[in-house]
């Protein structure tokens, strides 16, 4: 057994509702063709970074200036587990990356879904501002909008299960989920573009137990593709 677990948590590729500027929540729009291409580019960038990592399985840096290279990764250190939200924009992104890196089947987990946005799901920012003037800016959430505490309650047991493999884990999820992880480990709220995220480290002894958020150590942030999508629509 390795002495630690590594987690790379990233956001899915561009979805149809990202393209249209609609708040997604737990609705289930598919990836766009660009979103699928983003996943392929991300796999190349990630594969190159893993290939350059040394044999101690340290979290590798990602060269953002090299992410447009079109080589295909071969003979890469495999992820021990690839897990995703069961919503298709995340699951499909994970499947593309896993196939390209030779990482095996993707485990889809409902606990990794995006937060519910209640009555805002499917609406554009303009439609939300018309129906709930000033509420997005003031962070006044409507009835049915899932809180960070609620996300964290379903997310921690899922992470405890998946990181019990005590190896390298790729998680493909959503902006709200990634922001919740960051907040629980003491990081500031940051924009999360498509195919961006962060590496985390968990001591091996903790991975065998019911570890807590303060034992999950944040490492370097990555952006595997460039993106200019407005993350107010999640």
């Amino acid at each position: 057994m390795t002495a630690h677990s590594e987690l790379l948590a990233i956001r899915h590729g561009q979805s149809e509702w990202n393209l249209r500027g609609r708040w997604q929540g737990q609705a289930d729009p598919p990836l766009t063709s660009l979103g699928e291409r983003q996943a392929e580019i991300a796999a190349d960038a990630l594969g190159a970074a893993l290939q350059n990592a040394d044999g101690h399985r340290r979290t590798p840096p990602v060269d953002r200036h090299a992410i447009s290279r079109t080589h295909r990764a071969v003979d890469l250190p495999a992820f021990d587990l690839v897990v995703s939200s069961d919503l298709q924009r995340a699951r499909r992104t994970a499947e593309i990356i896993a196939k390209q890196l030779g990482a095996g089947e993707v485990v889809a987990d409902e606990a990794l879904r995006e937060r519910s946005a209640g009555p805002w799901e499917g609406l554009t920012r303009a439609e939300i501002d018309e129906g709930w003037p000033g509420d997005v800016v003031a962070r006044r959430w409507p009835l049915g909008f899932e809180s960070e505490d609620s996300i964290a309650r379903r997310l921690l047991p899922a992470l405890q299960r998946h990181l019990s493999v005590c190896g390298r884990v790729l998680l493909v999820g959503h902006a709200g989920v990634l922001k919740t992880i960051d907040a629980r480990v003491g990081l500031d709220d940051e924009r999360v573009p498509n195919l961006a995220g962060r590496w985390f480290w968990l001591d091996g002894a903790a991975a065998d137990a019911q570890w807590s958020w303060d034992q999950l150590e944040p490492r370097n942030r990555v952006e595997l593709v460039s993106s200019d999508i407005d993350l107010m629509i999640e």
Side-chain angles (χ1 to χ4, degrees):
M1 178 175 290
T2 57
H4 64 275
S5 287
E6 292 173 280
L7 170 68
L8 174 59
I10 60 173
R11 188 180 179 223
H12 59 79
Q14 185 195 63
S15 73
E16 292 285 354
W17 281 15
N18 284 148
L19 180 63
R20 298 174 187 174
R22 296 192 179 279
W23 201 305
Q24 297 176 112
Q26 294 187 357
D28 200 19
L31 292 180
T32 61
S33 57
L34 174 59
E36 297 217 356
R37 179 61 185 142
Q38 286 176 326
E40 294 172 352
I41 294 171
D44 274 345
L46 182 56
L50 293 175
Q51 201 165 37
N52 291 331
D54 66 21
H56 298 292
R57 297 176 69 84
R58 293 192 301 228
T59 53
V62 174
D63 179 1
R64 292 183 61 189
H65 299 290
I67 62 178
S68 62
R69 292 180 297 189
T70 59
H71 70 276
R72 286 295 181 267
V74 294
D75 297 328
L76 298 173
F79 283 95
D80 299 288
L81 175 67
V82 179
V83 63
S84 78
S85 159
D86 65 338
L87 298 177
Q88 62 178 321
R89 59 190 184 273
R91 187 181 67 249
R92 179 61 181 150
T93 301
E95 288 169 349
I96 292 169
I97 295 173
K99 181 178 180 180
Q100 196 158 309
L101 297 185
E105 296 296 320
V106 173
V107 176
D109 189 340
E110 182 178 352
L112 303 178
R113 285 185 176 188
E114 180 60 285
R115 65 157 37 98
S116 171
W120 290 1
E121 287 185 6
L123 301 184
T124 64
R125 175 64 182 272
E127 289 168 341
I128 293 170
D129 285 342
E130 180 179 355
W132 295 262
D135 281 9
V136 174
V137 173
R139 301 178 70 83
R140 293 190 298 265
W141 311 123
L143 186 66
F145 190 94
E146 188 177 11
S147 69
E148 182 186 294
D149 285 346
S150 174
I151 299 172
R153 282 194 298 271
R154 60 177 163 88
L155 186 56
L156 181 58
L159 293 178
Q160 289 169 338
R161 290 195 307 274
H162 299 311
L163 290 180
S164 66
V165 299
C166 211
R168 181 181 284 151
V169 177
L170 173 64
L171 183 157
V172 182
H174 307 270
V177 168
L178 272 59
K179 288 183 178 185
T180 296
I181 297 174
D182 279 358
R184 294 288 151 154
V185 300
L187 298 174
D188 293 334
D189 186 9
E190 293 186 69
R191 184 176 182 270
V192 186
N194 296 103
L195 276 306
R198 185 180 300 278
W199 284 98
F200 298 87
W201 180 285
L202 183 69
D203 181 80
D208 287 335
Q210 295 296 99
W211 49 270
S212 57
W213 288 111
D214 60 3
Q215 292 172 277
L216 188 64
E217 179 184 342
R219 295 295 178 95
N220 54 301
R221 184 174 164 84
V222 299
E223 291 190 20
L224 299 172
V225 300
S226 60
S227 174
D228 58 1
I229 293 172
D230 183 356
L231 262 293
M232 294 306 296
I233 302 297
E234 293 182 334

